[in-house]
Amino acid sequence: MVKIVDVRINGRGGQGAVTASRLLAEAAILEGQYVHAFPNFGPERAGAPVTSFSRICSEPFTEKTEVYNPDIVVVIDSSLLGEVQVVEGLKLGGTIICNYEGKIESLKYYFEEVDSKIYKISGTRIAREELGINKPNMVMLGALLKVAPVVKLESLIKVTKERFKGVIGEKNAKAMKRAYNEVEL
Amino acid sequence: MINPIVKGMTGDEAVAWAAKQINPDVIAAYPITPQTIIVERFSDYVNDGLVDTSYIPVESEHSAMSACVGASATGARVFTATASAGLALMYEILYVASGMRLPIVLAVANRAFSAPINIHGECTDQMVCRDASWISLFGETAQEAYDETIMSFKIGENPEIMLPTMFGIEGFIVTHALERVDTLPDKAVKDFLGDKRVIPPCCTFNPFAVGTFGSLVLQDNYMELKRQQEEAMHKAYYVTKNVMAEFSEISGRNYEIIEKYKLEDAEYAFVSYGATAGNAKAVVDRLREKGEKVGTLKIRLYRPYPASDIYEALKGIKAVSVLDRSATFGSPATIAQGDLAAALYGKEDVPTLHGYINGLGGRVLLLPEIEQIYEQSKNYHEEGKALTQDWIGYRR
Amino acid sequence: MKKKEIPIDIQNWHINKWGTEKLPIGGAVPFHSSYGYKTGNWSARKPFVDQEKCTGCLNCFYYCPDSAIEMQEIDGKYVAECDFNYCKGCGICVQHCPVNAIEWTKVRWHTK
Ligand code: SF4
Ligand code: SF4
């Protein structure tokens, strides 16, 4: 059976978690893959913890549920770490990518009992430096593609540039490439 | 088959895109979650001049459907969309539309009824309208949402039918989920539907053919006119079949009024509609891997109910579990199970039926739960239970 | 006053009691069909237009819910006239006449 990849993005309202899961899915569609991507809707406001999902597979699939057992969890905001169970439902041996400024060792401290690969990226710093604002959503996707190539970086850059026309798209593309290279285990 | 243009769209966007390609004459709509994106996108298209549609913003769904009725009576091609409470508010005018034989097309983003207030997916809203003499379809994916929008016009507008059509896609899980949609080129949609509605004589309301619509009809003729609707519904079954066959040809996607999945040698089966069918298929795949003989049947056309097709498909199966994502209370069977029981009653070699109300208010029916249903229906069959009705996926 | 007649096929509809197959779909009725439906004997009062007083302002013509008022040309002047075959006797026209040209009169129906 062909493997379905489930990605969950944990973020805060306003950080672009929804946009990120959508663009990831659009990139997959661009490559001819099949997707089901949607945010978990509820009473979300700016700043509240939100999740959104992308389910990606190279073959058509019929599942229509939320993602309960993700293969990959992307944490856009490190302040979520103590607040919500970002590892909830994560598959054994799954992947966590976290936007974290500190040392990787201190990040691992949060996930002591979790059997998963933990990656760290200074997403906020990259976003501040490259974009000028704290919108690390696309940066995190750049890092994601390095550790789990669900889609090609070029496809993601292409849909990003389509979504954010002009200079913002260019900046995001650059930030993604940088994140792609800077992610650490 | 026409080469598709692949797009990434949510269910709502797919419906709006199809409506844009159809370019109806009039849209009258009122926003309600999770349908809002349909009319929101469409109003963008109107604003950008991509369509020639008159967009009538109204103050309620009751008015929306009323405006649609008026517009459709003039011979216009009319589209609208709603959900849940909005559909309930339209309910009165639904009967006016079907009684006046106006082929309006209505997209329903299936959502739970209040109270308690809930914005998520559940099909009760469309199910309660099943007797309103509207042709009723369910869609499983954004792709089906797109295709059914186009097909609905063709079915309802057939001069033999002249009945309004509604199709439902479930809130959020389909309406707001991004999926891959193979769209047709504008021209293919135009060719499929024709530029304008075909208007049978004596059925329009315009300066050149004056008439009275929706007039007072009492004991003298009322029953005859209702009987006409029933006969049109009956014909709609054949017309839908033909339209789906025609659409399958141009789109390359196989459409049938019911979708059979691995039913040929199945001993047990699920019956469902809408997005639940997708999950049922996934479970069937899992169970088949374990060597279980199980299949699933998806009802795409709910009204007119394709009773004979369903009987043919389910004949010889031991037990059927109906996954019904709509609520009914104090009823002897779930809604879909009740219809199914009526369709199979008195026939030979029919399965036993077990109905499961699930997924209310956006609760997800998990795949392991569907597997559990399968095990249970096996047990029931062995115990010789013929008809049971239960809820699944709630806390005791 | 012009002669009002139901088109022949609609007469048939009433007389022959058309069934499901023949009735126009959706009960959409072509115009002129209500000519056969005489409602003139529904009331105890009728409006009589004093054609001397009438200024032809058309108020009664527009307000009559049954379109029972007809405008007639008499000596080069348009005046209102009520068609008692269809007037239901609601009295609206009487209320709306600005010059009180319509008299609201009791009628006695003679039974044969
Ligand atoms: S009484 Fe009523 S029905 Fe008769 S002419 Fe006057 S307005 Fe018309
Ligand atoms: S309202 Fe009076 S004045 Fe005017 S047309 Fe009628 S009868 Fe004549």
PDB file of all heavy atoms in Angstrom, chain C residues 39 43 45-49 60-61 63-70 81-84 86-96 102 104, ligand 1:
ATOM      1  N   THR C  39     -67.347  36.267  -9.873  1.00  0.00           N
ATOM      2  CA  THR C  39     -67.439  36.496  -8.428  1.00  0.00           C
ATOM      3  C   THR C  39     -68.392  37.651  -8.103  1.00  0.00           C
ATOM      4  O   THR C  39     -68.388  38.180  -7.009  1.00  0.00           O
ATOM      5  CB  THR C  39     -66.050  36.803  -7.848  1.00  0.00           C
ATOM      6  OG1 THR C  39     -65.470  37.844  -8.627  1.00  0.00           O
ATOM      7  CG2 THR C  39     -65.152  35.606  -7.881  1.00  0.00           C
ATOM      8  N   SER C  43     -71.314  39.817  -2.937  1.00  0.00           N
ATOM      9  CA  SER C  43     -71.435  40.881  -1.943  1.00  0.00           C
ATOM     10  C   SER C  43     -72.845  41.465  -1.887  1.00  0.00           C
ATOM     11  O   SER C  43     -73.666  41.261  -2.780  1.00  0.00           O
ATOM     12  CB  SER C  43     -70.471  41.998  -2.268  1.00  0.00           C
ATOM     13  OG  SER C  43     -70.820  42.513  -3.530  1.00  0.00           O
ATOM     14  N   ARG C  45     -73.129  44.814  -1.367  1.00  0.00           N
ATOM     15  CA  ARG C  45     -73.028  46.184  -1.856  1.00  0.00           C
ATOM     16  C   ARG C  45     -72.195  46.230  -3.124  1.00  0.00           C
ATOM     17  O   ARG C  45     -71.310  45.409  -3.315  1.00  0.00           O
ATOM     18  CB  ARG C  45     -72.374  47.091  -0.810  1.00  0.00           C
ATOM     19  CG  ARG C  45     -73.305  47.484   0.321  1.00  0.00           C
ATOM     20  CD  ARG C  45     -72.496  48.165   1.404  1.00  0.00           C
ATOM     21  NE  ARG C  45     -73.332  48.473   2.568  1.00  0.00           N
ATOM     22  CZ  ARG C  45     -73.892  49.661   2.775  1.00  0.00           C
ATOM     23  NH1 ARG C  45     -73.698  50.652   1.918  1.00  0.00           N
ATOM     24  NH2 ARG C  45     -74.634  49.869   3.833  1.00  0.00           N
ATOM     25  N   LYS C  46     -72.509  47.207  -3.947  1.00  0.00           N
ATOM     26  CA  LYS C  46     -71.753  47.354  -5.195  1.00  0.00           C
ATOM     27  C   LYS C  46     -71.400  48.821  -5.406  1.00  0.00           C
ATOM     28  O   LYS C  46     -72.144  49.704  -4.968  1.00  0.00           O
ATOM     29  CB  LYS C  46     -72.612  46.887  -6.385  1.00  0.00           C
ATOM     30  CG  LYS C  46     -72.816  45.397  -6.451  1.00  0.00           C
ATOM     31  CD  LYS C  46     -71.586  44.697  -6.973  1.00  0.00           C
ATOM     32  CE  LYS C  46     -71.713  43.214  -6.708  1.00  0.00           C
ATOM     33  NZ  LYS C  46     -70.446  42.531  -6.665  1.00  0.00           N
ATOM     34  N   PRO C  47     -70.316  49.071  -6.089  1.00  0.00           N
ATOM     35  CA  PRO C  47     -69.966  50.461  -6.366  1.00  0.00           C
ATOM     36  C   PRO C  47     -70.610  50.936  -7.672  1.00  0.00           C
ATOM     37  O   PRO C  47     -70.506  50.261  -8.699  1.00  0.00           O
ATOM     38  CB  PRO C  47     -68.450  50.391  -6.504  1.00  0.00           C
ATOM     39  CG  PRO C  47     -68.183  49.008  -6.994  1.00  0.00           C
ATOM     40  CD  PRO C  47     -69.307  48.132  -6.560  1.00  0.00           C
ATOM     41  N   PHE C  48     -71.287  52.040  -7.614  1.00  0.00           N
ATOM     42  CA  PHE C  48     -71.829  52.622  -8.844  1.00  0.00           C
ATOM     43  C   PHE C  48     -71.092  53.917  -9.135  1.00  0.00           C
ATOM     44  O   PHE C  48     -71.059  54.817  -8.297  1.00  0.00           O
ATOM     45  CB  PHE C  48     -73.331  52.882  -8.692  1.00  0.00           C
ATOM     46  CG  PHE C  48     -74.131  51.605  -8.734  1.00  0.00           C
ATOM     47  CD1 PHE C  48     -74.429  50.924  -7.573  1.00  0.00           C
ATOM     48  CD2 PHE C  48     -74.565  51.090  -9.955  1.00  0.00           C
ATOM     49  CE1 PHE C  48     -75.145  49.741  -7.616  1.00  0.00           C
ATOM     50  CE2 PHE C  48     -75.292  49.911  -9.990  1.00  0.00           C
ATOM     51  CZ  PHE C  48     -75.581  49.228  -8.830  1.00  0.00           C
ATOM     52  N   VAL C  49     -70.497  53.988 -10.298  1.00  0.00           N
ATOM     53  CA  VAL C  49     -69.710  55.176 -10.627  1.00  0.00           C
ATOM     54  C   VAL C  49     -70.630  56.239 -11.231  1.00  0.00           C
ATOM     55  O   VAL C  49     -71.367  55.967 -12.184  1.00  0.00           O
ATOM     56  CB  VAL C  49     -68.593  54.827 -11.625  1.00  0.00           C
ATOM     57  CG1 VAL C  49     -67.750  56.063 -11.938  1.00  0.00           C
ATOM     58  CG2 VAL C  49     -67.729  53.707 -11.077  1.00  0.00           C
ATOM     59  N   CYS C  60     -59.312  54.249  -8.792  1.00  0.00           N
ATOM     60  CA  CYS C  60     -60.083  53.033  -8.560  1.00  0.00           C
ATOM     61  C   CYS C  60     -59.591  51.907  -9.467  1.00  0.00           C
ATOM     62  O   CYS C  60     -59.514  50.755  -9.056  1.00  0.00           O
ATOM     63  CB  CYS C  60     -61.573  53.302  -8.785  1.00  0.00           C
ATOM     64  SG  CYS C  60     -61.934  53.976 -10.404  1.00  0.00           S
ATOM     65  N   PHE C  61     -59.208  52.258 -10.674  1.00  0.00           N
ATOM     66  CA  PHE C  61     -58.711  51.277 -11.641  1.00  0.00           C
ATOM     67  C   PHE C  61     -57.491  50.539 -11.081  1.00  0.00           C
ATOM     68  O   PHE C  61     -57.390  49.328 -11.156  1.00  0.00           O
ATOM     69  CB  PHE C  61     -58.364  52.008 -12.934  1.00  0.00           C
ATOM     70  CG  PHE C  61     -57.780  51.141 -14.005  1.00  0.00           C
ATOM     71  CD1 PHE C  61     -58.603  50.387 -14.829  1.00  0.00           C
ATOM     72  CD2 PHE C  61     -56.405  51.084 -14.199  1.00  0.00           C
ATOM     73  CE1 PHE C  61     -58.062  49.596 -15.828  1.00  0.00           C
ATOM     74  CE2 PHE C  61     -55.863  50.302 -15.190  1.00  0.00           C
ATOM     75  CZ  PHE C  61     -56.697  49.557 -16.005  1.00  0.00           C
ATOM     76  N   TYR C  63     -56.478  50.498  -7.834  1.00  0.00           N
ATOM     77  CA  TYR C  63     -56.629  49.908  -6.503  1.00  0.00           C
ATOM     78  C   TYR C  63     -57.535  48.690  -6.479  1.00  0.00           C
ATOM     79  O   TYR C  63     -57.464  47.888  -5.551  1.00  0.00           O
ATOM     80  CB  TYR C  63     -57.131  50.952  -5.507  1.00  0.00           C
ATOM     81  CG  TYR C  63     -56.012  51.824  -4.982  1.00  0.00           C
ATOM     82  CD1 TYR C  63     -55.834  53.125  -5.417  1.00  0.00           C
ATOM     83  CD2 TYR C  63     -55.119  51.301  -4.044  1.00  0.00           C
ATOM     84  CE1 TYR C  63     -54.792  53.896  -4.941  1.00  0.00           C
ATOM     85  CE2 TYR C  63     -54.076  52.069  -3.560  1.00  0.00           C
ATOM     86  CZ  TYR C  63     -53.917  53.376  -4.003  1.00  0.00           C
ATOM     87  OH  TYR C  63     -52.892  54.123  -3.534  1.00  0.00           O
ATOM     88  N   CYS C  64     -58.382  48.526  -7.439  1.00  0.00           N
ATOM     89  CA  CYS C  64     -59.296  47.389  -7.406  1.00  0.00           C
ATOM     90  C   CYS C  64     -58.511  46.072  -7.419  1.00  0.00           C
ATOM     91  O   CYS C  64     -57.778  45.789  -8.351  1.00  0.00           O
ATOM     92  CB  CYS C  64     -60.245  47.399  -8.602  1.00  0.00           C
ATOM     93  SG  CYS C  64     -61.260  45.912  -8.635  1.00  0.00           S
ATOM     94  N   PRO C  65     -58.632  45.270  -6.389  1.00  0.00           N
ATOM     95  CA  PRO C  65     -57.843  44.034  -6.329  1.00  0.00           C
ATOM     96  C   PRO C  65     -58.306  42.983  -7.325  1.00  0.00           C
ATOM     97  O   PRO C  65     -57.610  41.996  -7.540  1.00  0.00           O
ATOM     98  CB  PRO C  65     -58.043  43.565  -4.890  1.00  0.00           C
ATOM     99  CG  PRO C  65     -59.283  44.215  -4.408  1.00  0.00           C
ATOM    100  CD  PRO C  65     -59.473  45.465  -5.194  1.00  0.00           C
ATOM    101  N   ASP C  66     -59.450  43.178  -7.908  1.00  0.00           N
ATOM    102  CA  ASP C  66     -59.955  42.171  -8.836  1.00  0.00           C
ATOM    103  C   ASP C  66     -59.975  42.635 -10.276  1.00  0.00           C
ATOM    104  O   ASP C  66     -60.561  41.964 -11.131  1.00  0.00           O
ATOM    105  CB  ASP C  66     -61.359  41.753  -8.406  1.00  0.00           C
ATOM    106  CG  ASP C  66     -61.306  40.883  -7.181  1.00  0.00           C
ATOM    107  OD1 ASP C  66     -60.862  39.731  -7.323  1.00  0.00           O
ATOM    108  OD2 ASP C  66     -61.657  41.365  -6.095  1.00  0.00           O
ATOM    109  N   SER C  67     -59.373  43.762 -10.521  1.00  0.00           N
ATOM    110  CA  SER C  67     -59.379  44.338 -11.872  1.00  0.00           C
ATOM    111  C   SER C  67     -60.796  44.401 -12.433  1.00  0.00           C
ATOM    112  O   SER C  67     -61.023  44.097 -13.604  1.00  0.00           O
ATOM    113  CB  SER C  67     -58.483  43.541 -12.829  1.00  0.00           C
ATOM    114  OG  SER C  67     -57.194  43.487 -12.310  1.00  0.00           O
ATOM    115  N   ALA C  68     -61.737  44.751 -11.576  1.00  0.00           N
ATOM    116  CA  ALA C  68     -63.127  44.809 -12.027  1.00  0.00           C
ATOM    117  C   ALA C  68     -63.478  46.175 -12.604  1.00  0.00           C
ATOM    118  O   ALA C  68     -64.528  46.334 -13.215  1.00  0.00           O
ATOM    119  CB  ALA C  68     -64.069  44.460 -10.879  1.00  0.00           C
ATOM    120  N   ILE C  69     -62.621  47.154 -12.394  1.00  0.00           N
ATOM    121  CA  ILE C  69     -62.883  48.487 -12.941  1.00  0.00           C
ATOM    122  C   ILE C  69     -62.325  48.569 -14.356  1.00  0.00           C
ATOM    123  O   ILE C  69     -61.181  48.162 -14.599  1.00  0.00           O
ATOM    124  CB  ILE C  69     -62.236  49.582 -12.069  1.00  0.00           C
ATOM    125  CG1 ILE C  69     -62.768  49.545 -10.632  1.00  0.00           C
ATOM    126  CG2 ILE C  69     -62.403  50.954 -12.703  1.00  0.00           C
ATOM    127  CD1 ILE C  69     -64.091  50.225 -10.415  1.00  0.00           C
ATOM    128  N   GLU C  70     -63.126  49.036 -15.252  1.00  0.00           N
ATOM    129  CA  GLU C  70     -62.667  49.243 -16.619  1.00  0.00           C
ATOM    130  C   GLU C  70     -62.788  50.724 -16.940  1.00  0.00           C
ATOM    131  O   GLU C  70     -63.709  51.387 -16.467  1.00  0.00           O
ATOM    132  CB  GLU C  70     -63.572  48.476 -17.580  1.00  0.00           C
ATOM    133  CG  GLU C  70     -63.623  47.011 -17.310  1.00  0.00           C
ATOM    134  CD  GLU C  70     -62.958  46.244 -18.426  1.00  0.00           C
ATOM    135  OE1 GLU C  70     -63.261  46.544 -19.580  1.00  0.00           O
ATOM    136  OE2 GLU C  70     -62.121  45.372 -18.124  1.00  0.00           O
ATOM    137  N   GLU C  81     -65.813  52.423 -14.963  1.00  0.00           N
ATOM    138  CA  GLU C  81     -67.044  51.663 -14.927  1.00  0.00           C
ATOM    139  C   GLU C  81     -66.751  50.323 -14.273  1.00  0.00           C
ATOM    140  O   GLU C  81     -65.675  49.752 -14.471  1.00  0.00           O
ATOM    141  CB  GLU C  81     -67.571  51.446 -16.350  1.00  0.00           C
ATOM    142  CG  GLU C  81     -68.990  50.921 -16.345  1.00  0.00           C
ATOM    143  CD  GLU C  81     -69.489  50.620 -17.748  1.00  0.00           C
ATOM    144  OE1 GLU C  81     -68.939  51.180 -18.720  1.00  0.00           O
ATOM    145  OE2 GLU C  81     -70.411  49.805 -17.860  1.00  0.00           O
ATOM    146  N   CYS C  82     -67.677  49.868 -13.472  1.00  0.00           N
ATOM    147  CA  CYS C  82     -67.421  48.628 -12.743  1.00  0.00           C
ATOM    148  C   CYS C  82     -68.080  47.466 -13.470  1.00  0.00           C
ATOM    149  O   CYS C  82     -69.218  47.562 -13.917  1.00  0.00           O
ATOM    150  CB  CYS C  82     -67.960  48.748 -11.323  1.00  0.00           C
ATOM    151  SG  CYS C  82     -67.780  47.229 -10.411  1.00  0.00           S
ATOM    152  N   ASP C  83     -67.348  46.368 -13.586  1.00  0.00           N
ATOM    153  CA  ASP C  83     -67.905  45.164 -14.194  1.00  0.00           C
ATOM    154  C   ASP C  83     -68.475  44.289 -13.077  1.00  0.00           C
ATOM    155  O   ASP C  83     -67.729  43.649 -12.330  1.00  0.00           O
ATOM    156  CB  ASP C  83     -66.798  44.416 -14.958  1.00  0.00           C
ATOM    157  CG  ASP C  83     -67.372  43.264 -15.757  1.00  0.00           C
ATOM    158  OD1 ASP C  83     -68.487  42.810 -15.425  1.00  0.00           O
ATOM    159  OD2 ASP C  83     -66.702  42.831 -16.718  1.00  0.00           O
ATOM    160  N   PHE C  84     -69.764  44.293 -12.955  1.00  0.00           N
ATOM    161  CA  PHE C  84     -70.386  43.604 -11.823  1.00  0.00           C
ATOM    162  C   PHE C  84     -70.288  42.088 -11.915  1.00  0.00           C
ATOM    163  O   PHE C  84     -70.634  41.384 -10.979  1.00  0.00           O
ATOM    164  CB  PHE C  84     -71.853  44.027 -11.678  1.00  0.00           C
ATOM    165  CG  PHE C  84     -71.991  45.458 -11.249  1.00  0.00           C
ATOM    166  CD1 PHE C  84     -73.042  46.249 -11.692  1.00  0.00           C
ATOM    167  CD2 PHE C  84     -71.044  46.029 -10.401  1.00  0.00           C
ATOM    168  CE1 PHE C  84     -73.155  47.564 -11.297  1.00  0.00           C
ATOM    169  CE2 PHE C  84     -71.146  47.345 -10.001  1.00  0.00           C
ATOM    170  CZ  PHE C  84     -72.201  48.120 -10.454  1.00  0.00           C
ATOM    171  N   TYR C  86     -67.538  40.618 -11.990  1.00  0.00           N
ATOM    172  CA  TYR C  86     -66.328  40.221 -11.262  1.00  0.00           C
ATOM    173  C   TYR C  86     -66.121  40.981  -9.957  1.00  0.00           C
ATOM    174  O   TYR C  86     -65.335  40.570  -9.115  1.00  0.00           O
ATOM    175  CB  TYR C  86     -65.097  40.392 -12.164  1.00  0.00           C
ATOM    176  CG  TYR C  86     -65.231  39.608 -13.443  1.00  0.00           C
ATOM    177  CD1 TYR C  86     -65.578  40.237 -14.639  1.00  0.00           C
ATOM    178  CD2 TYR C  86     -65.072  38.224 -13.436  1.00  0.00           C
ATOM    179  CE1 TYR C  86     -65.753  39.501 -15.799  1.00  0.00           C
ATOM    180  CE2 TYR C  86     -65.242  37.486 -14.591  1.00  0.00           C
ATOM    181  CZ  TYR C  86     -65.578  38.122 -15.781  1.00  0.00           C
ATOM    182  OH  TYR C  86     -65.748  37.401 -16.905  1.00  0.00           O
ATOM    183  N   CYS C  87     -66.768  42.126  -9.787  1.00  0.00           N
ATOM    184  CA  CYS C  87     -66.596  42.918  -8.562  1.00  0.00           C
ATOM    185  C   CYS C  87     -66.998  42.089  -7.352  1.00  0.00           C
ATOM    186  O   CYS C  87     -68.093  41.542  -7.288  1.00  0.00           O
ATOM    187  CB  CYS C  87     -67.449  44.179  -8.646  1.00  0.00           C
ATOM    188  SG  CYS C  87     -67.612  45.009  -7.057  1.00  0.00           S
ATOM    189  N   LYS C  88     -66.070  42.001  -6.395  1.00  0.00           N
ATOM    190  CA  LYS C  88     -66.373  41.214  -5.196  1.00  0.00           C
ATOM    191  C   LYS C  88     -66.991  42.078  -4.111  1.00  0.00           C
ATOM    192  O   LYS C  88     -67.299  41.592  -3.033  1.00  0.00           O
ATOM    193  CB  LYS C  88     -65.107  40.572  -4.650  1.00  0.00           C
ATOM    194  CG  LYS C  88     -64.656  39.368  -5.438  1.00  0.00           C
ATOM    195  CD  LYS C  88     -63.389  38.789  -4.833  1.00  0.00           C
ATOM    196  CE  LYS C  88     -62.828  37.702  -5.730  1.00  0.00           C
ATOM    197  NZ  LYS C  88     -61.406  37.483  -5.480  1.00  0.00           N
ATOM    198  N   GLY C  89     -67.051  43.375  -4.379  1.00  0.00           N
ATOM    199  CA  GLY C  89     -67.702  44.257  -3.419  1.00  0.00           C
ATOM    200  C   GLY C  89     -66.890  44.555  -2.187  1.00  0.00           C
ATOM    201  O   GLY C  89     -67.406  44.591  -1.075  1.00  0.00           O
ATOM    202  N   CYS C  90     -65.609  44.790  -2.367  1.00  0.00           N
ATOM    203  CA  CYS C  90     -64.772  45.063  -1.204  1.00  0.00           C
ATOM    204  C   CYS C  90     -64.841  46.528  -0.783  1.00  0.00           C
ATOM    205  O   CYS C  90     -64.535  46.867   0.350  1.00  0.00           O
ATOM    206  CB  CYS C  90     -63.334  44.684  -1.478  1.00  0.00           C
ATOM    207  SG  CYS C  90     -62.594  45.682  -2.773  1.00  0.00           S
ATOM    208  N   GLY C  91     -65.199  47.381  -1.709  1.00  0.00           N
ATOM    209  CA  GLY C  91     -65.347  48.785  -1.362  1.00  0.00           C
ATOM    210  C   GLY C  91     -64.080  49.605  -1.421  1.00  0.00           C
ATOM    211  O   GLY C  91     -64.078  50.790  -1.077  1.00  0.00           O
ATOM    212  N   ILE C  92     -63.005  49.022  -1.846  1.00  0.00           N
ATOM    213  CA  ILE C  92     -61.738  49.751  -1.886  1.00  0.00           C
ATOM    214  C   ILE C  92     -61.822  50.946  -2.835  1.00  0.00           C
ATOM    215  O   ILE C  92     -61.357  52.041  -2.532  1.00  0.00           O
ATOM    216  CB  ILE C  92     -60.589  48.791  -2.265  1.00  0.00           C
ATOM    217  CG1 ILE C  92     -60.315  47.859  -1.087  1.00  0.00           C
ATOM    218  CG2 ILE C  92     -59.327  49.548  -2.651  1.00  0.00           C
ATOM    219  CD1 ILE C  92     -59.336  46.754  -1.372  1.00  0.00           C
ATOM    220  N   CYS C  93     -62.445  50.712  -3.968  1.00  0.00           N
ATOM    221  CA  CYS C  93     -62.534  51.779  -4.963  1.00  0.00           C
ATOM    222  C   CYS C  93     -63.269  52.995  -4.398  1.00  0.00           C
ATOM    223  O   CYS C  93     -62.903  54.138  -4.664  1.00  0.00           O
ATOM    224  CB  CYS C  93     -63.207  51.283  -6.232  1.00  0.00           C
ATOM    225  SG  CYS C  93     -64.807  50.521  -5.925  1.00  0.00           S
ATOM    226  N   VAL C  94     -64.278  52.716  -3.583  1.00  0.00           N
ATOM    227  CA  VAL C  94     -65.069  53.798  -2.996  1.00  0.00           C
ATOM    228  C   VAL C  94     -64.175  54.668  -2.120  1.00  0.00           C
ATOM    229  O   VAL C  94     -64.227  55.903  -2.170  1.00  0.00           O
ATOM    230  CB  VAL C  94     -66.242  53.212  -2.175  1.00  0.00           C
ATOM    231  CG1 VAL C  94     -67.113  54.320  -1.626  1.00  0.00           C
ATOM    232  CG2 VAL C  94     -67.049  52.248  -3.021  1.00  0.00           C
ATOM    233  N   GLN C  95     -63.342  54.008  -1.328  1.00  0.00           N
ATOM    234  CA  GLN C  95     -62.444  54.737  -0.432  1.00  0.00           C
ATOM    235  C   GLN C  95     -61.417  55.562  -1.195  1.00  0.00           C
ATOM    236  O   GLN C  95     -60.961  56.595  -0.713  1.00  0.00           O
ATOM    237  CB  GLN C  95     -61.691  53.752   0.472  1.00  0.00           C
ATOM    238  CG  GLN C  95     -62.579  52.932   1.385  1.00  0.00           C
ATOM    239  CD  GLN C  95     -63.289  53.799   2.407  1.00  0.00           C
ATOM    240  OE1 GLN C  95     -62.739  54.792   2.884  1.00  0.00           O
ATOM    241  NE2 GLN C  95     -64.533  53.459   2.707  1.00  0.00           N
ATOM    242  N   HIS C  96     -61.039  55.104  -2.362  1.00  0.00           N
ATOM    243  CA  HIS C  96     -59.937  55.743  -3.058  1.00  0.00           C
ATOM    244  C   HIS C  96     -60.357  56.818  -4.056  1.00  0.00           C
ATOM    245  O   HIS C  96     -59.498  57.472  -4.630  1.00  0.00           O
ATOM    246  CB  HIS C  96     -59.068  54.685  -3.760  1.00  0.00           C
ATOM    247  CG  HIS C  96     -58.104  54.042  -2.821  1.00  0.00           C
ATOM    248  ND1 HIS C  96     -56.997  54.698  -2.367  1.00  0.00           N
ATOM    249  CD2 HIS C  96     -58.108  52.829  -2.219  1.00  0.00           C
ATOM    250  CE1 HIS C  96     -56.341  53.906  -1.535  1.00  0.00           C
ATOM    251  NE2 HIS C  96     -56.999  52.765  -1.425  1.00  0.00           N
ATOM    252  N   ILE C 102     -67.958  57.524  -6.574  1.00  0.00           N
ATOM    253  CA  ILE C 102     -68.469  56.158  -6.521  1.00  0.00           C
ATOM    254  C   ILE C 102     -69.451  56.029  -5.362  1.00  0.00           C
ATOM    255  O   ILE C 102     -69.131  56.350  -4.219  1.00  0.00           O
ATOM    256  CB  ILE C 102     -67.327  55.136  -6.378  1.00  0.00           C
ATOM    257  CG1 ILE C 102     -66.260  55.401  -7.450  1.00  0.00           C
ATOM    258  CG2 ILE C 102     -67.857  53.713  -6.489  1.00  0.00           C
ATOM    259  CD1 ILE C 102     -65.096  54.469  -7.430  1.00  0.00           C
ATOM    260  N   TRP C 104     -71.725  53.764  -2.958  1.00  0.00           N
ATOM    261  CA  TRP C 104     -71.637  52.430  -2.350  1.00  0.00           C
ATOM    262  C   TRP C 104     -73.063  51.980  -2.035  1.00  0.00           C
ATOM    263  O   TRP C 104     -73.657  52.370  -1.036  1.00  0.00           O
ATOM    264  CB  TRP C 104     -70.792  52.546  -1.099  1.00  0.00           C
ATOM    265  CG  TRP C 104     -70.288  51.286  -0.457  1.00  0.00           C
ATOM    266  CD1 TRP C 104     -70.242  51.034   0.874  1.00  0.00           C
ATOM    267  CD2 TRP C 104     -69.731  50.147  -1.091  1.00  0.00           C
ATOM    268  NE1 TRP C 104     -69.706  49.814   1.114  1.00  0.00           N
ATOM    269  CE2 TRP C 104     -69.379  49.235  -0.082  1.00  0.00           C
ATOM    270  CE3 TRP C 104     -69.519  49.784  -2.432  1.00  0.00           C
ATOM    271  CZ2 TRP C 104     -68.819  48.004  -0.350  1.00  0.00           C
ATOM    272  CZ3 TRP C 104     -68.959  48.559  -2.702  1.00  0.00           C
ATOM    273  CH2 TRP C 104     -68.612  47.679  -1.668  1.00  0.00           C
TER     274      TRP C 104
HETATM  275  S1  SF4 D   1     -65.821  47.143  -4.806  1.00  0.00           S
HETATM  276 FE1  SF4 D   1     -63.809  46.204  -4.721  1.00  0.00          FE
HETATM  277  S2  SF4 D   1     -63.924  44.625  -6.286  1.00  0.00           S
HETATM  278 FE2  SF4 D   1     -65.651  45.964  -6.668  1.00  0.00          FE
HETATM  279  S3  SF4 D   1     -64.852  47.382  -8.172  1.00  0.00           S
HETATM  280 FE3  SF4 D   1     -64.553  48.319  -6.178  1.00  0.00          FE
HETATM  281  S4  SF4 D   1     -62.470  47.755  -5.624  1.00  0.00           S
HETATM  282 FE4  SF4 D   1     -63.094  46.405  -7.285  1.00  0.00          FE
END
